[in-house]
Amino acid sequence: MQTIHMCDLYGQYLTMKDEIDTAIQDVIKSTHFIKSGKVLDFEEKLATYLKTNVVSCGNGTDALQLAFMALELQPGDEIITTPFTFVSTVETAVLMGMKPVFVDVCADTYNLNADLIEAVITDKTKAILPVHLFGQCADLEKILTLAGKYSLFVVEDACQALGTDFYFEDGTVKNAGTIGDVGCNSFFPSKNLGAFGDGGAVYAKDEQLVNKIRSVANHGMKAKYEYERIGMNSRLDSMQAAILEVKLKYIEKHIKARQNAALFYDEKLKNIDEIDLPLRVKYSSHTFHQYTIRTEKRDALQKYLREKGIPSMVYYPKVLHLQAAYKNLGYKKGDFPVAEKLSETVLSLPMHTELQAEQLEYIVKNIEAFYENS
């Protein structure tokens, strides 16, 4: 049996090797490494796939900053978000002088609990920042209703959910990241659509807003050497754009492979009482950037799997409101008990597009053995 990887980037590359190698060579031959036609081609293809406007950028963290800057959020403004996420969700807001206001998450979806948001809205609140964690959307319909009621922006952190669908009650279907005012995505190599380095994108359906985002990402430029606003330098390079353009052609195939692996885990692990499997909600598809279970024996299970040659990861071992860097926000242990409990019990199993049946069987048999003997 081949070595089991948490994310098999090389194995995936081999399935597209000729196309990717040709795309890379084309960029090298052109010597157009920055702001080339390859970048524009990729943006256009991704925009067609998502049915919205796309501005590529340097990474997912930059995407969030571009969103905040384009929406003209100011120091002192409050942004409601989750403490159970990667740090980039909040660090940009803090760097810009804004205040993240946390709301606890749902124990079964790991996403922002929309029912708790209204209680923390103040006259300083300017935006809600849901994170579509692990590949499943937060409850956007409730969030959009609240945003409309209080005239708030909705900025979607969709960095883990490219290709995820949101189902509205009226039957409308939209892509994660294209539903709020602005959506943010990362092309970090392990993501649903991953580059061979850093990369990101910002989505907006409003043409004026997307033009503003594009300007902010390019130093605030209006025309060459003419600057109409304060901006930054954040761009996707041509090499990454060429690679992503190839991989985008296979995004649905790759998502299906992740979903099939998840269904295998579901079926084989459903009878283990000490494991809580990832819940599927009716309002969102799940693209399984991660397959994350909950178990009180998390640390012991992870150690056992490691001894058997099976990798696993904890996303995330410490919630943001208890991190030293964010102690000035004034939160304490016990403020968000669900998120805190998740940080002690979640475990992500191997999940990628190249998982083989033999590997999946080996993983679940060892999980079963652990619980039978513990």
Side-chain angles (χ1 to χ4, degrees):
M1 183 178 65
Q2 294 179 344
T3 300
I4 299 173
H5 300 283
M6 192 68 193
C7 182
D8 188 3
L9 298 174
Y10 186 67
Q12 185 189 71
Y13 157 70
L14 291 177
T15 68
M16 302 170 281
K17 183 179 186 302
D18 290 346
E19 289 177 88
I20 288 176
D21 289 354
T22 298
I24 291 171
Q25 287 300 317
D26 286 346
V27 173
I28 294 171
K29 290 174 185 175
S30 76
T31 70
H32 296 152
F33 301 115
I34 301 294
K35 295 180 181 176
S36 73
K38 285 287 186 184
V39 176
L40 297 176
D41 288 346
F42 170 66
E43 286 183 354
E44 183 180 349
K45 287 181 171 62
L46 183 59
T48 298
Y49 175 72
L50 294 171
K51 301 179 181 67
T52 192
N53 300 298
V54 173
V55 179
S56 61
C57 62
N59 53 64
T61 308
D62 280 3
L64 288 159
Q65 183 172 345
L66 289 167
F68 298 154
M69 292 176 71
L71 293 172
E72 299 184 7
L73 300 183
Q74 301 297 316
D77 288 347
E78 294 179 354
I79 298 178
I80 297 171
T81 192
T82 164
F84 190 66
T85 180
F86 185 64
V87 68
S88 62
T89 304
V90 302
E91 70 179 347
T92 297
V94 173
L95 283 169
M96 292 178 64
M98 295 179 285
K99 181 183 179 181
V101 175
F102 292 127
V103 165
D104 213 346
V105 297
C106 301
D108 48 11
T109 67
Y110 321 128
N111 279 327
L112 190 68
N113 188 334
D115 293 331
L116 303 178
I117 292 174
E118 190 165 19
V120 300
I121 293 174
T122 71
D123 58 0
K124 294 182 179 180
T125 306
K126 294 296 184 291
I128 304 173
L129 176 56
V131 179
H132 305 318
L133 202 66
F134 303 149
Q136 185 168 239
C137 288
D139 194 345
L140 286 174
E141 199 144 18
K142 286 184 179 178
I143 290 169
L144 289 171
T145 298
L146 281 173
K149 180 178 179 181
Y150 291 96
S151 300
L152 306 176
F153 295 118
V154 175
V155 178
E156 296 177 70
D157 183 335
C159 291
Q160 298 185 12
L162 195 148
T164 302
D165 291 324
F166 186 85
Y167 309 117
F168 287 85
E169 289 184 0
D170 67 2
T172 302
V173 181
K174 292 187 178 181
N175 291 288
T178 72
I179 300 159
D181 295 281
V182 185
C184 303
N185 189 62
S186 166
F187 300 123
F188 187 81
S190 63
K191 293 294 194 286
N192 291 359
L193 181 64
F196 285 6
D198 269 326
V202 189
Y203 319 141
K205 51 185 173 286
D206 182 272
E207 293 284 351
Q208 287 187 317
L209 181 57
V210 84
N211 289 336
K212 197 172 181 181
I213 293 166
R214 195 175 298 281
S215 170
V216 173
N218 190 25
H219 302 284
M221 192 178 292
K222 179 180 180 181
K224 194 166 186 178
Y225 302 126
E226 183 178 347
Y227 309 97
E228 61 182 340
R229 56 178 56 86
I230 301 297
M232 56 190 284
N233 178 26
S234 183
R235 55 200 177 200
L236 182 70
D237 71 71
S238 304
M239 198 82 75
Q240 302 306 331
I243 293 163
L244 289 165
E245 186 177 350
V246 172
K247 295 181 75 172
L248 181 60
K249 294 191 294 185
Y250 300 97
I251 185 68
E252 291 299 325
K253 176 185 175 182
H254 290 160
I255 288 172
K256 190 64 177 176
R258 290 175 177 272
Q259 291 171 332
N260 287 340
L263 289 173
F264 186 94
Y265 282 138
D266 285 347
E267 181 61 28
K268 298 293 184 177
L269 300 177
K270 66 182 181 182
N271 295 322
I272 301 177
D273 293 335
E274 294 177 85
I275 290 178
D276 292 316
L277 302 179
L279 178 74
R280 316 300 202 278
V281 295
K282 65 180 181 179
Y283 51 77
S284 175
S285 66
H286 204 319
T287 52
F288 291 99
H289 171 61
Q290 301 294 342
Y291 185 93
T292 303
I293 64 173
R294 289 176 291 150
T295 175
E296 295 292 335
K297 297 179 179 178
R298 191 268 307 283
D299 294 342
L301 173 60
Q302 186 174 37
K303 179 176 182 293
Y304 180 86
L305 293 177
R306 188 184 305 119
E307 292 169 352
K308 300 296 182 180
I310 301 170
S312 61
M313 290 291 291
V314 177
Y315 304 108
Y316 299 94
K318 192 172 184 178
V319 282
L320 293 181
H321 67 281
L322 300 182
Q323 298 279 356
Y326 299 98
K327 61 183 179 181
N328 65 321
L329 295 177
Y331 295 111
K332 63 184 184 304
K333 187 173 177 60
D335 283 346
F336 307 106
V338 176
E340 292 170 26
K341 183 65 174 178
L342 288 175
S343 71
E344 298 169 352
T345 56
V346 292
L347 186 67
S348 295
L349 302 179
M351 173 52 71
H352 55 80
T353 61
E354 308 308 309
L355 278 168
Q356 304 299 311
E358 182 184 18
Q359 294 174 320
L360 288 165
E361 286 282 2
Y362 181 76
I363 294 166
V364 298
K365 283 182 178 178
N366 277 282
I367 294 173
E368 290 169 344
F370 170 80
Y371 284 100
E372 287 171 0
N373 297 313
S374 64

mmCIF file of all heavy atoms in Angstrom, residues 50 102 156 188 212 243 288 311-312 335 337 368 370:
data_model
loop_
_atom_site.group_PDB
_atom_site.id
_atom_site.type_symbol
_atom_site.label_atom_id
_atom_site.label_comp_id
_atom_site.label_asym_id
_atom_site.label_seq_id
_atom_site.Cartn_x
_atom_site.Cartn_y
_atom_site.Cartn_z
ATOM 1 N N LEU A 50 -18.042 30.572 -11.121
ATOM 2 C CA LEU A 50 -18.728 31.035 -9.913
ATOM 3 C C LEU A 50 -19.921 31.941 -10.213
ATOM 4 O O LEU A 50 -20.701 32.251 -9.307
ATOM 5 C CB LEU A 50 -17.744 31.800 -9.025
ATOM 6 C CG LEU A 50 -16.602 30.977 -8.417
ATOM 7 C CD1 LEU A 50 -15.590 31.895 -7.746
ATOM 8 C CD2 LEU A 50 -17.134 29.952 -7.428
ATOM 9 N N PHE A 102 -16.605 38.153 18.721
ATOM 10 C CA PHE A 102 -16.817 36.730 18.492
ATOM 11 C C PHE A 102 -18.214 36.281 18.910
ATOM 12 O O PHE A 102 -18.821 36.819 19.833
ATOM 13 C CB PHE A 102 -15.782 35.907 19.268
ATOM 14 C CG PHE A 102 -14.377 36.051 18.754
ATOM 15 C CD1 PHE A 102 -13.344 36.403 19.602
ATOM 16 C CD2 PHE A 102 -14.093 35.845 17.411
ATOM 17 C CE1 PHE A 102 -12.043 36.533 19.142
ATOM 18 C CE2 PHE A 102 -12.795 35.974 16.928
ATOM 19 C CZ PHE A 102 -11.766 36.320 17.802
ATOM 20 N N GLU A 156 -17.816 37.023 3.160
ATOM 21 C CA GLU A 156 -17.684 35.574 3.313
ATOM 22 C C GLU A 156 -16.216 35.146 3.258
ATOM 23 O O GLU A 156 -15.527 35.429 2.281
ATOM 24 C CB GLU A 156 -18.434 34.845 2.202
ATOM 25 C CG GLU A 156 -19.927 35.032 2.185
ATOM 26 C CD GLU A 156 -20.526 34.313 0.986
ATOM 27 O OE1 GLU A 156 -20.529 33.071 0.974
ATOM 28 O OE2 GLU A 156 -20.952 35.018 0.046
ATOM 29 N N PHE A 188 -4.139 28.429 -1.372
ATOM 30 C CA PHE A 188 -3.097 27.684 -0.670
ATOM 31 C C PHE A 188 -3.095 26.250 -1.215
ATOM 32 O O PHE A 188 -4.158 25.707 -1.541
ATOM 33 C CB PHE A 188 -3.398 27.689 0.834
ATOM 34 C CG PHE A 188 -2.333 27.097 1.695
ATOM 35 C CD1 PHE A 188 -1.216 27.848 2.046
ATOM 36 C CD2 PHE A 188 -2.435 25.793 2.156
ATOM 37 C CE1 PHE A 188 -0.224 27.301 2.852
ATOM 38 C CE2 PHE A 188 -1.447 25.240 2.951
ATOM 39 C CZ PHE A 188 -0.332 25.988 3.303
ATOM 40 N N LYS A 212 -13.304 48.732 -7.586
ATOM 41 C CA LYS A 212 -12.623 49.321 -6.432
ATOM 42 C C LYS A 212 -11.634 48.323 -5.832
ATOM 43 O O LYS A 212 -10.506 48.677 -5.482
ATOM 44 C CB LYS A 212 -13.675 49.732 -5.401
ATOM 45 C CG LYS A 212 -13.187 50.704 -4.353
ATOM 46 C CD LYS A 212 -14.397 51.160 -3.549
ATOM 47 C CE LYS A 212 -14.016 52.147 -2.483
ATOM 48 N NZ LYS A 212 -15.206 52.556 -1.684
ATOM 49 N N ILE A 243 -1.256 27.378 -13.596
ATOM 50 C CA ILE A 243 -1.501 26.102 -12.913
ATOM 51 C C ILE A 243 -2.961 26.003 -12.475
ATOM 52 O O ILE A 243 -3.624 24.979 -12.677
ATOM 53 C CB ILE A 243 -0.555 25.959 -11.709
ATOM 54 C CG1 ILE A 243 0.896 25.817 -12.178
ATOM 55 C CG2 ILE A 243 -0.951 24.764 -10.833
ATOM 56 C CD1 ILE A 243 1.928 26.070 -11.089
ATOM 57 N N PHE A 288 -15.793 19.138 1.581
ATOM 58 C CA PHE A 288 -14.815 18.411 2.392
ATOM 59 C C PHE A 288 -13.372 18.822 2.141
ATOM 60 O O PHE A 288 -12.518 18.013 1.799
ATOM 61 C CB PHE A 288 -14.994 16.897 2.222
ATOM 62 C CG PHE A 288 -16.258 16.415 2.839
ATOM 63 C CD1 PHE A 288 -17.381 16.200 2.050
ATOM 64 C CD2 PHE A 288 -16.360 16.239 4.203
ATOM 65 C CE1 PHE A 288 -18.581 15.803 2.625
ATOM 66 C CE2 PHE A 288 -17.554 15.849 4.794
ATOM 67 C CZ PHE A 288 -18.668 15.622 3.994
ATOM 68 N N PRO A 311 -1.663 9.716 9.062
ATOM 69 C CA PRO A 311 -1.617 11.108 9.522
ATOM 70 C C PRO A 311 -3.002 11.623 9.885
ATOM 71 O O PRO A 311 -4.022 11.120 9.402
ATOM 72 C CB PRO A 311 -1.067 11.857 8.309
ATOM 73 C CG PRO A 311 -1.548 11.055 7.136
ATOM 74 C CD PRO A 311 -1.540 9.611 7.596
ATOM 75 N N SER A 312 -3.038 12.614 10.730
ATOM 76 C CA SER A 312 -4.270 13.330 11.060
ATOM 77 C C SER A 312 -3.862 14.703 11.561
ATOM 78 O O SER A 312 -2.699 14.944 11.874
ATOM 79 C CB SER A 312 -5.092 12.582 12.116
ATOM 80 O OG SER A 312 -4.351 12.461 13.323
ATOM 81 N N ASP A 335 -16.031 31.795 27.655
ATOM 82 C CA ASP A 335 -16.917 32.722 26.935
ATOM 83 C C ASP A 335 -17.583 32.057 25.735
ATOM 84 O O ASP A 335 -18.719 32.398 25.381
ATOM 85 C CB ASP A 335 -16.133 33.950 26.469
ATOM 86 C CG ASP A 335 -15.869 34.942 27.599
ATOM 87 O OD1 ASP A 335 -16.520 34.809 28.652
ATOM 88 O OD2 ASP A 335 -15.015 35.830 27.425
ATOM 89 N N PRO A 337 -18.037 28.330 24.940
ATOM 90 C CA PRO A 337 -17.800 26.941 25.361
ATOM 91 C C PRO A 337 -17.844 25.921 24.236
ATOM 92 O O PRO A 337 -17.123 24.920 24.283
ATOM 93 C CB PRO A 337 -18.905 26.686 26.388
ATOM 94 C CG PRO A 337 -19.960 27.727 26.112
ATOM 95 C CD PRO A 337 -19.204 28.916 25.614
ATOM 96 N N GLU A 368 -11.509 1.616 13.963
ATOM 97 C CA GLU A 368 -12.361 0.614 14.617
ATOM 98 C C GLU A 368 -11.581 -0.172 15.666
ATOM 99 O O GLU A 368 -12.072 -0.393 16.800
ATOM 100 C CB GLU A 368 -12.918 -0.352 13.568
ATOM 101 C CG GLU A 368 -13.948 0.273 12.644
ATOM 102 C CD GLU A 368 -14.283 -0.605 11.449
ATOM 103 O OE1 GLU A 368 -13.505 -1.556 11.159
ATOM 104 O OE2 GLU A 368 -15.319 -0.388 10.796
ATOM 105 N N PHE A 370 -8.984 0.753 17.355
ATOM 106 C CA PHE A 370 -8.682 1.613 18.508
ATOM 107 C C PHE A 370 -9.851 1.612 19.493
ATOM 108 O O PHE A 370 -9.655 1.462 20.706
ATOM 109 C CB PHE A 370 -8.387 3.029 18.038
ATOM 110 C CG PHE A 370 -8.304 4.033 19.170
ATOM 111 C CD1 PHE A 370 -7.152 4.140 19.926
ATOM 112 C CD2 PHE A 370 -9.384 4.842 19.473
ATOM 113 C CE1 PHE A 370 -7.090 5.050 20.991
ATOM 114 C CE2 PHE A 370 -9.331 5.755 20.514
ATOM 115 C CZ PHE A 370 -8.172 5.848 21.276
#
